[in-house]
């Protein structure tokens, strides 16, 4: 004998309705997920106050930029300390070899490469900060001047979706050379020239020799190396660093 109610028409109809009707809990979960996915919609339009999302975003970019700025300064401090130590040691005794100063130039070159790489990262955060300053706060202070960039929101959104380096290695090297390392290299070169001329027993260029390498070849290498640094630092190209503080605008309009 079959179980009671197994063939009840009303029970079967109710089961079919329950099967065809979506679960209310599943519907609520789907709506919640959709709301979570769209949590950023209108966020920056509705909360532009001093304590709103835009202010928090700006403070975050300032913090990141300051952190990378400190990393740049730390490398510069290393370079200055090494330069001071080399100059003190090289002129502390006439018997100390002059080529230690040239080795110091190589060490400064390593610091230059490290600092240029850090500067490329620093420019990412600074460019975002400048975009907010120019298109949000400057515009809020004086709307009559208009927006600096009509498409700034789309560009900033693209940068947040896929961050990328904005400047080349050459530009980063040139910037750090102009600001820091070319003066340091010039001091080191001047000290080396004094060391091989005024503080040497032999006449120049013989006094510039390093082991079996003649002094004329050593001098030529030093001059070519310094000339290459000058060429990189002073090459007038289209720079892309975000609004550098310059006395002359080198960027293409």
């Amino acid at each position: 004998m079959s179980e009671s109610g197994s063939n009840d028409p009303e029970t079967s109809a109710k089961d079919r309705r329950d099967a065809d009707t979506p679960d209310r809990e599943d519907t609520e979960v789907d709506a919640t997920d959709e709301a979570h996915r769209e949590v950023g919609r209108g966020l920056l339009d509705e909360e532009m106050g001093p304590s709103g999302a835009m202010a928090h975003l700006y403070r975050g970019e300032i913090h990141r930029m300051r952190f990378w700025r400190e990393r740049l300064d730390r490398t510069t401090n290393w370079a200055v300390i090494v330069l001071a130590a080399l100059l003190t040691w090289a002129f502390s005794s006439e018997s100390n070899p002059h080529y230690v100063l040239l080795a110091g130039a190589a060490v400064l070159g390593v610091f230059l490469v490290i600092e240029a790489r850090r500067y490329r990262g620093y420019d990412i955060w600074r460019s975002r900060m400048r975009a907010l300053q120019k298109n949000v706060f400057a515009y809020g202070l004086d709307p009559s001047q208009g927006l600096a960039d009509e498409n700034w929101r789309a560009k900033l959104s693209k940068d947040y979706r896929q961050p990328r380096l904005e400047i080349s290695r050459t530009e980063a090297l040139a910037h750090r050379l102009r600001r820091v390392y070319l003066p340091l290299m010039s001091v080191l070169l001047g000290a080396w020239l004094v060391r091989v001329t005024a503080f040497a027993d032999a006449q120049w260029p013989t006094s510039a020799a390093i082991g079996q390498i003649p002094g004329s070849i050593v001098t030529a290498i030093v001059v070519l190396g310094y000339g290459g640094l000058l060429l990189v630092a002073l090459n007038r190209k289209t720079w892309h660093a975000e609004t550098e503080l310059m006395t002359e605008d080198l960027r293409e309009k």
Side-chain angles (χ1 to χ4, degrees), residues 68 71-72 75-76 78-79 105-121 168-170 172-174 176-177 181 185 229 232:
W68 281 82
R71 295 190 71 191
L72 286 176
T75 313
T76 302
W78 294 345
V107 173
L108 291 185
V110 173
F111 287 155
L112 170 62
V113 173
I114 295 173
E115 190 162 322
R117 183 180 61 190
R118 292 180 175 180
Y119 179 77
R120 298 180 76 192
S168 64
R169 291 185 180 89
T170 303
L173 287 170
R176 301 319 296 166
L177 275 170
Y181 285 88
M185 291 289 189
L229 295 178
V232 172

Side-chain angles (χ1 to χ4, degrees), residues 211-245:
Q212 299 298 320
I213 304 176
S216 57
I217 295 179
V218 174
T219 303
I221 293 174
V222 172
V223 171
L224 289 175
Y226 188 79
L229 295 178
L230 281 176
L231 184 63
V232 172
L234 303 179
N235 186 20
R236 300 306 177 95
K237 296 179 63 177
T238 299
W239 302 119
H240 300 282
E242 178 62 31
T243 54
E244 253 321 307
L245 295 176

